[in-house]
Amino acid sequence: MPGDHGSKVDISFAGRFTASAIAACFAEICTIPLDTAKVRLQLQKNVVAAATGDAAPALPKYRGLLGTAATIAREEGAAALWKGIVPGLHRQCIYGGLRIGLYEPVKSFYVGQDHVGDVPLSKKIAAGFTTGAIAIAIANPTDLVKVRLQAEGKLAPGVPRRYAGAMDAYAKIARQEGVAALWTGLGPNVARNAIINAAELASYDQVKQTILKLPGFKDDVVTHLFAGLGAGFFAVCVGSPVDVVKSRMMGDSAYKSTLDCFVKTLKNDGPLAFYKGFLPNFARLGSWNVIMFLTLEQVQKLFVRKPTS
């Protein structure tokens, strides 16, 4: 993990939490247009022409990462690519700060205080899984509001928007659907974020540890860049199916449960639907991880506690 290879650094939990939240928020601001495109692609279902006979399927509205971003910008304005940025930052302050800030303490707990040498990969995965699940269980309302705002496309003239903004969305969902509705999709969201967090943090930790053992490499930007890309790739590979189910459940209330969403998606759209938006998801997570980890490595240096003499 950042700063924990080579010589150990002493950073308080408050310091880790703050550094993690800052890094996660900065990465979110830089990459949310890709996330908006990813959500639109995932929520887009296969549309079949109403006519019978040999009618071919209608062309989807959104096609590819750049095409989706261009369509959104053209129809709704460039600012629409940053839809959901406010709850996105709410999410990263809570979720990002907790999942990354808790990773080292939880990892140390799993291996024990007397452990010497490299931490086993299984312990890193367990720590990432644990902190991801805890963090998103707390931050789920921010994720729900973010997806709902991102999912709303161009409306017909005179049709009011469902939500005026993030705070209005929190209030309306709680008032109209009940407070518990803010935790809609909690099951797939916990599964998705626990899996992706384990993949991200454990792979970053492991790749960085491996690179630092190679001749000529040191704890610098190049190492952080490769480790961040590896973290993003592994996270998308293992988390994409759960991510699609999570986005569909949060964006469409027609699904009764996680299993219902999974079965209907498989039946109606086929197995490849679970990797719909894979490239924009990797572009998003790959770039997000690189920016976040590069920023985190630098910011957390400000929170290192100097040893007392």
Side-chain angles (χ1 to χ4, degrees):
M1 195 55 190
D4 289 349
H5 295 288
S7 59
K8 284 282 185 179
V9 293
D10 184 16
I11 305 176
S12 67
F13 169 70
R16 289 187 186 279
F17 178 88
T18 304
S20 301
I22 291 171
C25 285
F26 181 65
E28 187 77 5
I29 292 170
C30 294
T31 63
I32 199 170
L34 299 178
D35 191 52
T36 300
K38 179 207 74 173
V39 169
R40 294 288 180 91
L41 283 169
Q42 288 178 336
L43 293 179
Q44 178 174 259
K45 302 170 186 177
N46 289 341
V47 180
V48 181
T52 57
D54 317 70
L59 290 176
K61 179 179 180 179
Y62 301 119
R63 302 183 69 184
L65 173 64
L66 296 180
T68 300
T71 299
I72 295 171
R74 183 175 63 253
E75 294 186 351
E76 305 168 44
L81 290 168
W82 273 267
K83 271 184 179 178
I85 186 60
V86 173
L89 294 179
H90 294 167
R91 177 185 188 273
Q92 292 304 338
C93 282
I94 301 170
Y95 174 66
L98 286 174
R99 74 180 182 97
I100 303 168
L102 283 171
Y103 177 72
E104 285 300 327
V106 171
K107 186 173 70 173
S108 297
F109 172 78
Y110 282 153
V111 297
Q113 295 297 322
D114 299 327
H115 178 80
V116 178
D118 293 337
V119 176
L121 179 59
S122 61
K123 301 295 185 183
K124 296 174 183 176
I125 293 173
F129 196 91
T130 301
T131 63
I134 293 172
I136 200 59
I138 297 171
N140 195 82
T142 65
D143 223 7
L144 175 72
V145 169
K146 177 186 172 187
V147 169
R148 292 229 181 149
L149 290 177
Q150 287 177 319
E152 192 171 57
K154 184 179 181 181
L155 301 176
V159 178
R161 291 206 168 274
R162 191 177 182 186
Y163 306 113
M167 301 311 294
D168 180 56
Y170 289 123
K172 277 187 177 177
I173 292 170
R175 184 172 63 251
Q176 296 175 358
E177 304 173 42
V179 175
L182 289 167
W183 276 266
T184 297
L186 180 62
N189 212 15
V190 167
R192 181 252 185 193
N193 284 280
I195 291 169
I196 289 182
N197 192 56
E200 278 183 7
L201 299 188
S203 61
Y204 183 87
D205 203 346
Q206 191 70 21
V207 171
K208 181 179 175 183
Q209 176 184 299
T210 302
I211 291 176
L212 289 176
K213 291 180 179 178
L214 299 175
F217 284 92
K218 55 184 179 180
D219 196 354
D220 58 11
V221 172
V222 175
T223 297
H224 306 157
L225 176 65
F226 284 125
L229 282 172
F233 179 75
F234 283 114
V236 176
C237 285
V238 302
S240 192
V242 191
D243 192 38
V244 170
V245 172
K246 181 215 75 168
S247 290
R248 291 199 171 191
M249 282 195 70
M250 289 187 167
D252 190 342
S253 59
Y255 299 113
K256 299 176 182 178
S257 65
T258 303
L259 181 61
D260 180 55
C261 181
F262 181 87
V263 171
K264 285 182 178 177
T265 301
L266 181 63
K267 180 180 178 181
N268 298 331
D269 300 332
L272 291 181
F274 294 109
Y275 283 91
K276 183 176 284 186
F278 181 87
L279 288 180
N281 206 6
F282 173 64
R284 145 79 169 160
L285 268 181
S287 57
W288 193 95
N289 275 277
V290 168
I291 294 170
M292 192 281 290
F293 281 116
L294 286 176
T295 305
L296 178 62
E297 294 278 8
Q298 302 306 313
V299 173
Q300 71 175 4
K301 292 177 181 177
L302 302 174
F303 296 92
V304 176
R305 293 186 290 200
K306 297 180 180 179
T308 54
S309 53

